[in-house]
């Protein structure tokens, strides 16, 4: 008989708790604006740290309205793979390595090698 008592109930799909007497956390609405004038509104908790920039749905960077713009001079420049490669090898070494690899490829294909 106990197996019939739960018939028709979607267990786990619906909460048995009510929202009576529940207060949501205090929130604030923050406005960001892109350089082209697009407005972005984000809701944060009142005690949250507000970031100076936000990426909009269109992928553009939006800046906090009435906030300080972040100083770009503090950011480290992005190191690319090429920059890291040049830290380990000189241009001459890279040209020699490239020529050696091209010669191996040409030999596999049965072509004449230049060296």
């Amino acid at each position: 008989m106990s197996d019939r008592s739960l018939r028709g109930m979607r267990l786990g799909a619906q909460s048995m708790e009510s929202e009576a007497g529940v207060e949501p956390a205090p929130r604030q609405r923050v406005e960001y604006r892109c350089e082209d004038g697009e407005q972005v509104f984000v809701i944060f908790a009142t005690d949250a740290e507000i970031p100076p920039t936000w990426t909009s749905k269109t992928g553009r960077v939006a800046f906090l309205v009435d906030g300080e713009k972040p100083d770009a001079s503090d950011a480290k420049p992005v190191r690319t793979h090429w920059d890291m490669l040049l830290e380990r090898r000189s241009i001459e070494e890279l040209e020699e390595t490239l020529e050696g690899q091209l010669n191996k490829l040409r030999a596999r294909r049965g072509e004449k090698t230049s060296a």
Side-chain angles (χ1 to χ4, degrees):
M1 192 70 162
S2 63
D3 59 330
R4 292 180 172 207
S5 63
L6 296 176
R7 179 177 287 171
M9 188 65 174
R10 290 178 275 174
L11 291 177
Q14 292 178 335
S15 175
M16 300 298 286
E17 296 181 8
S18 69
E19 299 209 8
V22 176
E23 295 262 340
R27 297 174 284 190
Q28 61 179 330
R29 186 175 185 215
V30 179
E31 180 182 359
Y32 291 90
R33 193 167 293 145
C34 295
E35 304 250 339
D36 64 352
E38 176 187 2
Q39 291 179 324
V40 179
F41 294 99
V42 184
I43 296 179
F44 291 101
T46 53
D47 58 346
E49 185 177 330
I50 308 299
T53 61
W54 192 265
T55 305
S56 71
K57 290 181 181 179
T58 58
R60 295 185 191 101
V61 176
F63 296 98
L64 183 62
V65 173
D66 298 332
E68 295 180 15
K69 287 202 173 187
D71 190 14
S73 64
D74 293 342
K76 291 174 75 176
V78 178
R79 286 177 54 204
T80 63
H81 294 289
W82 180 250
D83 294 332
M84 289 184 263
L85 185 64
L86 288 178
E87 290 174 4
R88 297 188 310 266
R89 304 274 191 267
S90 68
I91 296 292
E92 293 80 24
E93 287 177 310
L94 292 173
E95 287 175 350
E96 289 175 19
T97 305
L98 174 64
E99 191 59 38
Q101 293 299 321
L102 288 174
N103 287 338
K104 285 182 188 177
L105 181 63
R106 290 178 184 131
R108 254 194 328 211
R109 290 182 174 178
E111 299 174 10
K112 256 198 297 185
T113 59
S114 61

